[in-house]
Amino acid sequence: MDLSLRKFTDRVAELGFSAQIPVDWIAHELPPEEPDFSNPTSFFPLALVTAPHAAIVFAFAARPAYDDGTLHDWAWYNLNNNQLTARAIGPARIAGVTAMMGEATQPSELGTMVVRFAFLEDGGRLINLTLTAPELLADAVREAWFAMIGSFALETPKGSRFTEETATPAPPPAVDPDIEAHKFASEAPEPPEPVAEKDPTFADFAFAGTAASLDPEAKVNANLRDKGIGLVPKVIATDDATKVATLAGGAILAHFNVPYGWYVIDDGKRTLVLDPKDEVQISLNTMATEGRDYDELLNELEAQVRKDYPEPECMRFAYGKIEALGVRNIAVGGQAIEQYHMLFPHRTDEMVLRARVTTSPERRTAACNLAELILNSCSFEPERREAPASVPAPKDLPAWWNKAVALEQQDRLEEAEQVIRDGVPHLAFAHATADMYRLRMLRLKSAGDAPGALAAFKKSSHFIFFYASMATSGGEGTALSEERDEFREQLVSDYGSDPGA
């Protein structure tokens, strides 16, 4: 996250300040107004900064400090009066003075909001700093919060009346120092050990202690295979200690990790990670960038979402290498769902990996955390068409593909086609066969066999059209036709011209 130090001019009580803020966040011009502190919970706004594509807000405000009580008391008073439920609160140092800092939640029309807050007193001025974000996005902007807190500085500091010891209430004294002290201490409950925040791991999402859900003959997988939905990708490795399996996804040309107990299906176009509770689905596929940046790709996805659903709520967020579009207030079959489209770098700038997360609202955070783990676990195979034709396909590709390529190189084309049909018992076999003939075309063209390259071009073109013709619905037909057109455009580019034009 790129940050820059911004200065905010004094609006009241010599409260100009500076702080590190994300460079692309927008500082809004506040209307002129007179402070009104007749309500003891009213604060006067000093600055308001928002993220460009999401309901994420930095707010800076102040009011006169109260006459009595501690900084801890004042924080709780304002939290309670604003219906904020504190998760954590404690002393901190901000701008050289003692502060009370913590995290709270607050209900809203967008769902639960996470509010990170800080209160500090300086020269009789009570200053309130907040960062408010939807619960799903709160972790993604944690870095921005701590950068702002660490850099916050007043132009005119005047010093605080509080130290760390006086900012919080003193503990109650024992009734009798000689007799009751031991009784008081022994009856008081032991404070819980602090629990350090930890990043989620695959084990946190595992539903089983073994990789049995990835057995191709497991009942669920066999049913999906028999219905033509797809096949279980090849399992490269398993680790019972961390409850994670590594798979080779043919559709996305990547190795990736999944937790034990989840089902994974690959149909040649996409790789599906399926929740055994049927509440979460993570669909992985590649997208050609064609010169578009992430914002443009997300704009196109959002435009499609707004065509598909009547009143979707859309938001943007970024975390690490991931840029994403979140979609709420949508339903399928009368059931409320949410979708999150996450874009992640692939092996070249010519494509990106997309994870489309479909989840129940209750499991949105867990579903997106898992998708993030899966994306960050990806390692990408070299593109097959860039390899010399004499080099066999990598051993981690499906066995049926390796066998088909070997037969093709021996000119045993009918046998190669049959191997692909047997290995891919659904419509994606036609796409795979088209790709085999495209590779054959490249090999023969490189060898100077013009008639053989032309024949391979025609076979590849035939199978990709056959693939699109097998759609069973209008929506599927549109999608397969787009795949066909993209494939054939690449085929023509590889050949150097269009013999059918």
Side-chain angles (χ1 to χ4, degrees):
M1 181 175 292
D2 294 330
L3 303 164
S4 65
L5 186 68
R6 297 200 208 177
K7 293 186 177 181
F8 297 87
T9 57
D10 167 29
R11 296 193 77 227
V12 67
E14 298 179 283
L15 280 169
F17 67 94
S18 59
Q20 292 273 0
I21 301 292
V23 294
D24 59 341
W25 288 30
I26 303 163
H28 296 268
E29 184 175 351
L30 298 175
E33 58 180 308
E34 290 296 321
D36 179 7
F37 300 117
S38 56
N39 182 336
T41 62
S42 292
F43 280 74
F44 184 76
L46 305 177
L48 190 70
V49 183
T50 62
H53 297 299
I56 305 174
V57 182
F58 266 125
F60 306 83
R63 62 160 292 112
Y66 304 109
D67 294 332
D68 56 13
T70 65
L71 191 57
H72 183 272
D73 296 332
W74 301 351
W76 276 109
Y77 175 68
N78 283 283
L79 291 172
N80 291 333
N81 276 279
N82 287 281
Q83 289 76 53
L84 288 159
T85 302
R87 289 175 170 175
I89 185 170
R93 294 287 290 180
I94 300 175
V97 301
T98 295
M100 297 303 299
M101 188 168 76
E103 183 177 298
T105 58
Q106 185 178 45
S108 79
E109 293 181 355
L110 295 177
T112 300
M113 307 296 283
V114 173
V115 182
R116 291 188 167 96
F117 62 85
F119 292 90
L120 58 143
E121 185 272 340
D122 184 279
R125 306 167 296 184
L126 177 59
I127 302 165
N128 179 216
L129 316 175
T130 60
L131 174 59
T132 302
E135 188 170 30
L136 173 69
L137 309 182
D139 285 344
V141 293
R142 182 189 309 173
E143 175 188 345
W145 167 251
F146 286 106
M148 186 280 290
I149 288 296
S151 61
F152 181 83
L154 293 168
E155 286 186 359
T156 313
K158 300 184 178 183
S160 175
R161 74 178 75 169
F162 296 109
T163 65
E164 187 170 334
E165 290 73 24
T166 61
T168 57
V175 175
D176 186 316
D178 297 324
I179 300 173
E180 297 293 334
H182 176 72
K183 178 182 178 182
F184 177 84
S186 62
E187 289 181 351
E190 287 292 323
E193 290 293 324
V195 178
E197 288 189 14
K198 71 178 187 70
D199 292 330
T201 66
F202 283 102
D204 296 328
F205 302 99
F207 286 102
T210 71
S213 64
L214 301 174
D215 182 346
E217 298 307 319
K219 184 176 181 180
V220 170
N221 296 329
N223 286 338
L224 292 172
R225 178 193 64 211
D226 294 344
K227 292 178 180 178
I229 304 301
L231 304 173
V232 178
K234 182 178 180 180
V235 177
I236 303 300
T238 59
D239 186 340
D240 292 345
T242 58
K243 298 182 180 179
V244 66
T246 302
L247 294 86
I252 59 174
L253 296 175
H255 291 174
F256 63 98
N257 294 342
V258 294
Y260 282 1
W262 290 67
Y263 296 97
V264 184
I265 293 294
D266 192 308
D267 68 358
K269 299 177 296 176
R270 60 181 178 171
T271 302
L272 292 175
V273 181
L274 305 171
D275 173 13
K277 292 185 176 181
D278 200 28
E279 294 178 353
V280 174
Q281 180 190 99
I282 301 173
S283 176
L284 303 168
N285 69 283
T286 59
M287 296 177 64
T289 56
E290 297 177 336
R292 298 167 294 178
D293 62 21
Y294 280 15
D295 273 342
E296 292 170 315
L297 292 169
L298 292 174
N299 287 342
E300 293 180 13
L301 290 171
E302 182 172 340
Q304 186 61 50
V305 164
R306 295 190 182 281
K307 288 181 181 179
D308 293 341
Y309 300 100
E311 296 181 351
E313 295 174 359
C314 298
M315 64 189 75
R316 302 283 180 92
F317 60 98
Y319 188 57
K321 296 181 180 180
I322 297 170
E323 295 191 29
L325 166 71
V327 185
R328 293 183 178 176
N329 193 39
I330 59 176
V332 172
Q335 181 179 358
I337 64 166
E338 296 182 8
Q339 283 190 342
Y340 299 90
H341 301 262
M342 300 181 174
L343 302 185
F344 189 82
H346 209 282
R347 62 172 175 258
T348 73
D349 293 338
E350 296 177 357
M351 67 173 69
V352 297
L353 179 60
R354 176 178 67 154
R356 185 187 65 193
V357 182
T358 304
T359 175
S360 62
E362 295 76 19
R363 293 188 62 189
R364 69 166 78 96
T365 301
C368 289
N369 283 342
L370 176 57
E372 180 189 345
L373 283 173
I374 291 173
L375 289 174
N376 282 316
S377 75
C378 285
S379 61
F380 299 103
E381 301 171 9
E383 190 171 11
R384 286 197 300 265
R385 69 169 169 238
E386 294 174 353
S390 60
V391 177
K395 65 180 180 181
D396 51 15
L397 292 176
W400 54 263
W401 176 259
N402 292 341
K403 185 176 180 180
V405 169
L407 289 169
E408 176 274 316
Q409 291 180 351
Q410 300 171 41
D411 296 329
R412 296 161 64 182
L413 302 181
E414 291 185 4
E415 293 176 65
E417 290 180 18
Q418 189 59 51
V419 166
I420 295 176
R421 281 182 180 271
D422 293 341
V424 190
H426 46 81
L427 60 85
F429 84 88
H431 196 299
T433 307
D435 201 40
M436 180 193 73
Y437 277 110
R438 182 181 61 81
L439 294 176
R440 177 177 174 84
M441 176 196 75
L442 288 169
R443 181 171 64 84
L444 296 179
K445 181 182 175 185
S446 178
D449 184 353
L454 175 60
F457 175 98
K458 292 179 177 179
K459 291 285 278 187
S460 182
S461 181
H462 164 77
F463 273 102
I464 201 63
F465 273 93
F466 181 42
Y467 168 70
S469 73
M470 289 188 285
T472 58
S473 68
E476 186 180 25
T478 300
L480 298 192
S481 295
E482 289 179 357
E483 287 188 61
R484 174 201 64 204
D485 294 344
E486 290 174 2
F487 181 96
R488 199 172 187 283
E489 182 179 352
Q490 183 63 53
L491 183 68
V492 169
S493 175
D494 289 342
Y495 185 74
S497 63
D498 186 354

